[in-house]
Amino acid sequence: MDLHTFLVPPAETARRKGPHDRIVMSSRVRLARNLKDAPFPGWAKKPERIRVLELIRPAVSTLPDMKESFSETMDSLSPLDKQILVERHLISREHAAKSAGSGLVLNQEETLCVMINEEDHLRMQALRPGLQCRQAWMAVDQADSALERKLDYAFSPDLGYLTACPTNIGTGIRVSAMLHLPGLVLAEQINPIIQSVNKLGLAVRGLYGEGTEALGNVFQVSNQMTLGESESAIVERLEKVLAQIIEHEENARGMLLEKKPKMVYNHIGRAYGILANAHSISSKETMNLLSLMRVGVDMGLFPGVDRSLVDELFILTQPAHLQKQHSEKLSAEERDLLRADMVRGRLKQVSRPIAKVTGSSGAG
């Protein structure tokens, strides 16, 4: 099966709605599991990894949620396919580097995805738009329970589920949300917020997880500890912190519009001006400018423009998605030219932002 005919079109992905999706772009719950009496993928030899893959892949494919799913070994996917999956946040960068003995099973809605032989034998994740950590947890828990009846997990009565990395041991759960926080960045409040979140035992990372920067003012917030706390308690704790971050972001936007409206209009106007007129633009600059345009849409400065247009461009302007539209191999410079052409074309119908007096909530 061809990955690109299977994947949901970016325009459709961008239109998905969820609670608080002005700020929370998506929620994800991931579980790490391993098979009993099989070496972890990092220690396993190729025949052992292949054996584990051949055991897990059919079991995952028969799950009710995986009806008519995309199931493939990583060595059968091209580097471009893998990068597109990374840009869609469906697989990790680490999994994209895998080859023989690793695999992927993805459902049609792109709400459930299982990486086989990444760092652990099983990395299953449920994804939802907006703030829906609890719904994502319930979905992945259901899949996990069904798999546990078919596979013999590595489990210790004292420690819980055994994982390749000690930080995942116990519940093996990682709950995360992707947050768009331009208000806190512009108000120069982001660092104190990150420090507060870190003190609560949560991690704040960039757009593509650990070791990446927060392109487009997008931050991932997740739990760090998985041992000594129940899954539902971890979900609840993260949701409480996310609710506070959402409130801080809304307040920052409102305060900026009230106290520094010209600064806000200047940032958003310049972002629109560059995006609508540039003839060469990098992926990084595009993300950062689209972020400002997105908050401009949320503030009502682009009447009649739907946020989904900006969210679709977030996806389409990524290097692999751009390359996919062209048969010949593009250099970084060629991508920058084509990216600018695409963005200019898409923004042709969008008028420049209208500066207006907005209430202190900052809501559009």
Side-chain angles (χ1 to χ4, degrees):
M1 188 190 300
D2 177 57
L3 176 67
H4 307 287
T5 54
F6 181 85
L7 287 176
V8 176
E12 200 178 311
T13 302
R15 282 196 297 269
R16 288 175 173 168
K17 300 288 180 196
H20 302 285
D21 57 8
R22 278 159 49 100
I23 293 166
V24 185
M25 299 175 86
S26 64
S27 302
R28 181 185 71 177
V29 176
R30 191 207 72 204
L31 291 178
R33 298 287 185 260
N34 288 280
L35 300 189
K36 192 180 175 184
D37 300 328
F40 294 132
W43 282 267
K45 293 184 169 62
K46 186 177 167 183
E48 292 169 322
R49 290 200 307 275
I50 290 170
R51 186 179 63 82
V52 166
L53 175 65
E54 286 171 350
L55 201 63
I56 293 175
R57 198 169 146 208
V60 172
S61 298
T62 56
L63 292 173
D65 284 340
M66 289 298 192
K67 206 174 173 187
E68 296 177 18
S69 60
F70 177 83
S71 175
E72 197 55 89
T73 58
M74 295 310 284
D75 53 330
S76 303
L77 294 173
S78 71
L80 184 65
D81 290 342
K82 292 176 184 179
Q83 189 53 36
I84 280 174
L85 289 165
V86 170
E87 290 176 0
R88 296 277 189 112
H89 301 280
L90 294 170
I91 66 169
S92 63
R93 294 178 307 158
E94 291 76 17
H95 202 51
K98 303 288 183 184
S99 55
S102 293
L104 164 79
V105 185
L106 172 69
N107 75 345
Q108 274 194 316
E109 298 77 25
E110 293 175 14
T111 54
L112 188 66
C113 178
V114 178
M115 294 181 278
I116 304 166
N117 280 336
E118 191 230 33
E119 185 178 54
D120 295 285
H121 295 142
L122 274 158
R123 283 279 176 101
M124 55 191 109
Q125 54 185 19
L127 301 119
R128 294 289 184 275
L131 181 60
Q132 298 194 70
C133 297
R134 192 155 297 278
Q135 291 84 344
W137 156 240
M138 286 160 67
V140 81
D141 183 43
Q142 198 175 2
D144 180 46
S145 299
L147 277 178
E148 199 157 13
R149 289 191 286 270
K150 301 175 188 212
L151 302 168
D152 198 3
Y153 285 164
F155 183 84
S156 156
D158 298 325
L159 296 171
Y161 293 100
L162 304 179
T163 54
C165 180
T167 57
N168 290 320
I169 209 164
T171 55
I173 192 173
R174 187 78 67 186
V175 186
S176 65
M178 200 173 292
L179 308 174
H180 184 229
L181 305 176
L184 289 168
V185 172
L186 287 175
E188 296 180 355
Q189 293 172 9
I190 194 69
N191 288 337
I193 293 287
I194 289 173
Q195 284 162 14
S196 302
V197 170
N198 287 339
K199 280 177 189 167
L200 294 168
L202 302 175
V204 182
R205 298 187 168 105
L207 183 65
Y208 293 110
E210 199 166 357
T212 64
E213 62 181 316
L215 289 172
N217 301 312
V218 177
F219 298 82
Q220 282 187 40
V221 178
S222 66
N223 65 298
Q224 278 187 301
M225 295 305 292
T226 59
L227 187 63
E229 204 175 3
S230 72
E231 292 94 333
S232 57
I234 290 168
V235 171
E236 193 178 327
R237 194 158 61 87
L238 191 78
E239 281 190 328
K240 280 182 182 169
V241 174
L242 292 172
Q244 289 181 317
I245 297 173
I246 290 166
E247 191 180 338
H248 284 302
E249 173 64 20
E250 292 285 15
N251 290 342
R253 293 182 187 190
M255 183 273 290
L256 286 166
L257 275 177
E258 193 182 318
K259 305 256 176 78
K260 299 179 176 178
K262 289 290 186 190
M263 185 262 266
V264 174
Y265 301 149
N266 183 50
H267 275 296
I268 294 167
R270 281 171 179 269
Y272 167 81
I274 295 169
L275 289 167
N277 295 285
H279 285 262
S280 175
I281 192 164
S282 69
S283 174
K284 183 176 177 177
E285 187 182 9
T286 304
M287 291 287 286
N288 291 333
L289 296 175
L290 284 173
S291 164
L292 291 164
M293 197 170 160
R294 190 182 197 266
V295 79
V297 171
D298 288 342
M299 289 173 168
L301 307 185
F302 294 94
V305 175
D306 196 271
R307 193 195 307 125
S308 62
L309 167 66
V310 183
D311 286 349
E312 186 188 355
L313 286 172
F314 259 130
I315 301 168
L316 288 175
T317 56
Q318 298 292 308
H321 279 81
L322 206 59
Q323 177 63 63
K324 182 70 193 92
Q325 295 169 46
H326 301 273
S327 50
E328 72 281 3
K329 182 86 174 79
L330 301 172
S331 66
E333 194 179 336
E334 287 168 329
R335 281 201 306 270
D336 292 351
L337 297 172
L338 290 163
R339 184 181 292 109
D341 289 348
M342 183 215 289
V343 175
R344 276 202 329 278
R346 293 299 297 271
L347 296 186
K348 225 169 224 169
Q349 308 305 317
V350 178
S351 302
R352 65 186 180 85
I354 297 166
K356 60 175 191 172
V357 178
T358 312
S360 61
S361 72

